[in-house]
Amino acid sequence: MRNTARITTAVLAAGALTLGLSACGADSSDTDGPLIVAASPVPHAEILTFVKDNLAKKEGLDLQVKEFTDYVTPNTATQDGSVGANYFQNKPYLDDFNKKNGTDIVPVVTVHLEPLGLYSHKVKKADDLKSGATVAIPNDTVNEARALKLLAANGLITLKAGVGNEATPSDITKNPKNLKFKELEAAQTPRSLDDVDAAVVNGNYAIESDLKPSKDALVLESPKNNPYGNFLAVKKGQEDDPRVKKLAELLTSPEVKKFIQDKYAGSVLASF
């Protein structure tokens, strides 16, 4: 079903990436050519592929989907023009990325939320975690803070008052279970479940690992007033590209909302 190209290397050299995409005959700056969108495999690339296969052609949009398995390359590829847009991230993550890397990527339209969850192969309830249990958490700035806030919201730890999206384990003020934290690349957290007592996993990586957030998570992030919706993003100045505008319209269509509801059964939530 997917006409996508999986890129598994965590960080690709910009020159090599540009060469690889040029070989496909695509130019992301040509508004008459195909729109190449970098995306995480699940659910982003799946949603884009639904649009490509069912909606784009009749609207005159030539859409190409490029899969990336890390959270860095989609932004660097968007910044250098190797791709025309990306779809994988939330606003706190993008703000942090732009600040640290001097990039100027901007959101276009928010499409969905993937609730962050705590999972375990060893206990059935979060309260059953034993004293000294090891919990894997993502090691990038925003997702680490998000994971700690999830644990705090469910009474497992207490964080320093006013801590924001840069919270780390050093900001924990109360840890009644004396939990130990193993900081891993976000993509590695579901793979660690046999080696740790529990892991906080991003929704896309949970689904990709055959976890069902709405059923399998010990605790799950609340969608209410949640700032972590995932959106289509472009390099600043490309917001008015007619291809981008058309894709934004299609991504927030009733057809896509139904696809999300039917395919993900509450593990991914439409944000429109």
Side-chain angles (χ1 to χ4, degrees), residues 9-10 13 26 34 53 55 60 64 70 82-83 103 118 133 139 150 158 161 185 189 216 238 247 251-252 262:
T9 304
D53 292 346
L55 305 175
Q64 294 186 9
D70 71 291
S82 300
V83 300
T103 48
L118 177 69
N139 66 0
L150 173 69
T158 300
E185 183 184 353
T189 54
D216 297 334
Q238 301 302 309
L247 179 57
L251 280 171
T252 53
D262 291 347

Side-chain angles (χ1 to χ4, degrees), residues 11 70 98 143 183 221 251:
V11 180
D70 71 291
N98 280 335
N143 282 307
E183 296 164 295
E221 211 172 30
L251 280 171

Side-chain angles (χ1 to χ4, degrees), residues 9-170:
T9 304
V11 180
L12 300 176
L17 178 59
T18 303
L19 178 61
L21 295 177
S22 297
C24 297
D27 178 2
S28 66
S29 65
D30 178 9
T31 58
D32 293 323
L35 177 64
I36 305 168
V37 183
S40 297
V42 180
H44 311 77
E46 292 179 341
I47 294 170
L48 287 168
T49 298
F50 171 81
V51 171
K52 174 183 171 68
D53 292 346
N54 296 278
L55 305 175
K57 187 174 181 180
K58 66 181 72 173
E59 295 294 334
L61 175 64
D62 185 356
L63 178 62
Q64 294 186 9
V65 185
K66 297 289 179 182
E67 293 186 12
F68 294 80
T69 58
D70 71 291
Y71 284 168
V72 176
T73 320
N75 276 336
T76 57
T78 301
Q79 182 71 23
D80 70 22
S82 300
V83 300
N86 68 55
Y87 173 34
F88 78 100
Q89 64 192 322
N90 58 57
K91 190 63 163 53
Y93 179 85
L94 177 60
D95 289 346
D96 182 69
F97 188 94
N98 280 335
K99 180 180 178 181
K100 289 180 175 177
N101 294 278
T103 48
D104 57 351
I105 298 166
V106 296
V108 176
V109 65
T110 301
V111 180
H112 76 268
L113 172 71
E114 303 157 23
L116 197 75
L118 177 69
Y119 301 85
S120 177
H121 286 171
K122 298 178 181 177
V123 298
K124 297 296 185 182
K125 297 186 298 182
D127 287 344
D128 292 339
L129 287 169
K130 296 179 180 179
S131 179
T134 298
V135 179
I137 57 176
N139 66 0
D140 63 273
T141 301
V142 170
N143 282 307
E144 181 170 62
R146 187 180 174 189
L148 293 172
K149 287 191 281 187
L150 173 69
L151 299 179
N154 287 276
L156 293 170
I157 60 173
T158 300
L159 289 171
K160 189 184 303 180
V163 70
N165 289 317
E166 296 184 355
T168 69
S170 65

